[in-house]
Amino acid sequence: QKEVEQNSGPLSVPEGAIASLNCTYSDRGSQSFFWYRQYSGKSPELIMSIYSNGDKEDGRFTAQLNKASQYVSLLIRDSQPSDSATYLCAVNNRANFGNEKLTFGTGTRLTIIP
Amino acid sequence: DVKVTQSSRYLVKRTGEKVFLECVQDMDHENMFWYRQDPGLGLRLIYFSYDVKMKEKGDIPEGYSVSREKKERFSLILESASTNQTSMYLCASSSPPRAVDLRIGELFFGEGSRLTVL
């Protein structure tokens, strides 16, 4: 079992709709959770971080964390064509807490259809 | 703005050649990382460093070495390049977690170096 799992996609969502991206992780000791966005041919950039159970909102983005289910998700409201990218889920576990030795999922490719 | 600069965007090397990939960051970050990214495998950590002259193995260190002689510079070395090292290599840097709540600092990535080994 992979440590961090994501559906590879592609996930196609109409413009203006909600895009929902999901990630599961295997290490129950995981403490910190991140979503990175990577445009084609570019390097990843951080868009959300979440550390506690529940929702965290930042503009059109909402990260959701459920540690009991070992599940983290990213919702993108009012999807725009500029949101078309690969979204990487990254997790830091208890053993590594205090450093940034992140474990990344393989990413979900999102396409927003105009 | 944080800037992480990788010396070469595209390289083509032959099997057995020694390859140097250079990375420089300008934000005085203590932590630096080398990842490789391959389709279907995602980002995998090769080596990382928390201080000058310090290095630690990541998940896939075989066939690689690193050097950190100065705080701002972290080099990845392929002693004898092989075709299975054809990949996109990404350097990243970050500052240590905040003392207040130990939250992880953001990773800042360079633009990547696409290496092809023939």
Side-chain angles (χ1 to χ4, degrees):
Chain A
Q1 182 189 4
K2 290 182 181 176
E3 293 185 49
V4 180
E5 292 212 47
Q6 298 179 251
N7 282 331
S8 60
L11 175 64
S12 297
V13 173
E15 183 176 355
I18 296 175
S20 177
L21 304 162
N22 304 317
C23 173
T24 58
Y25 59 94
S26 60
D27 185 352
R28 284 197 171 274
S30 298
Q31 298 286 327
S32 308
F33 307 87
F34 306 87
W35 284 99
Y36 282 79
R37 178 177 62 199
Q38 186 174 24
Y39 291 116
S40 181
K42 300 293 186 181
S43 55
E45 56 179 338
L46 181 69
I47 53 171
M48 291 289 286
S49 59
I50 187 166
Y51 305 92
S52 305
N53 278 330
D55 294 0
K56 178 182 177 182
E57 188 174 316
D58 184 1
R60 294 186 297 112
F61 298 95
T62 299
Q64 299 175 315
L65 175 61
N66 184 326
K67 289 187 178 180
S69 300
Q70 297 174 243
Y71 177 90
V72 59
S73 64
L74 179 70
L75 301 178
I76 306 175
R77 288 183 301 282
D78 188 23
S79 297
Q80 303 296 310
S82 60
D83 295 325
S84 296
T86 296
Y87 290 80
L88 305 172
C89 174
V91 173
N92 193 355
N93 63 30
R94 187 187 301 271
N96 294 324
F97 196 69
N99 67 60
E100 287 82 270
K101 187 175 177 291
L102 297 180
T103 300
F104 283 84
T106 54
T108 298
R109 187 154 59 94
L110 173 67
T111 301
I112 305 301
I113 304 167
Chain B
D1 276 355
V2 173
K3 193 158 180 67
V4 180
T5 304
Q6 294 184 229
S7 56
S8 305
R9 291 295 308 276
Y10 302 95
L11 303 95
V12 179
K13 298 292 182 180
R14 296 207 174 273
T15 300
E17 280 193 78
K18 191 169 186 175
V19 182
F20 292 89
L21 300 179
E22 304 283 338
C23 176
V24 177
Q25 50 93 5
D26 66 0
M27 281 300 291
D28 202 34
H29 283 167
E30 282 80 0
N31 308 324
M32 296 190 75
F33 306 82
W34 275 105
Y35 288 87
R36 65 178 282 178
Q37 186 172 31
D38 302 286
L41 296 177
L43 278 162
R44 293 179 292 167
L45 183 62
I46 304 171
Y47 267 98
F48 57 107
S49 168
Y50 294 139
D51 202 350
V52 176
K53 295 194 186 294
M54 288 185 61
K55 60 184 179 183
E56 293 196 38
K57 293 180 180 179
D59 299 318
I60 52 162
E62 297 78 18
Y64 303 95
S65 62
V66 291
S67 171
R68 193 158 181 207
E69 296 296 320
K70 293 185 177 182
K71 187 176 185 180
E72 68 271 18
R73 187 179 298 270
F74 193 36
S75 303
L76 181 69
I77 303 155
L78 288 67
E79 293 289 343
S80 178
S82 62
T83 55
N84 63 13
Q85 292 178 310
T86 292
S87 186
M88 170 66 83
Y89 290 88
L90 289 163
C91 175
S93 73
S94 70
S95 55
R98 301 188 305 175
V100 174
D101 55 11
L102 293 181
R103 290 191 172 179
I104 303 301
E106 176 180 353
L107 274 181
F108 292 89
F109 285 88
E111 299 247 322
S113 299
R114 183 166 293 283
L115 171 66
T116 301
V117 182
L118 302 176

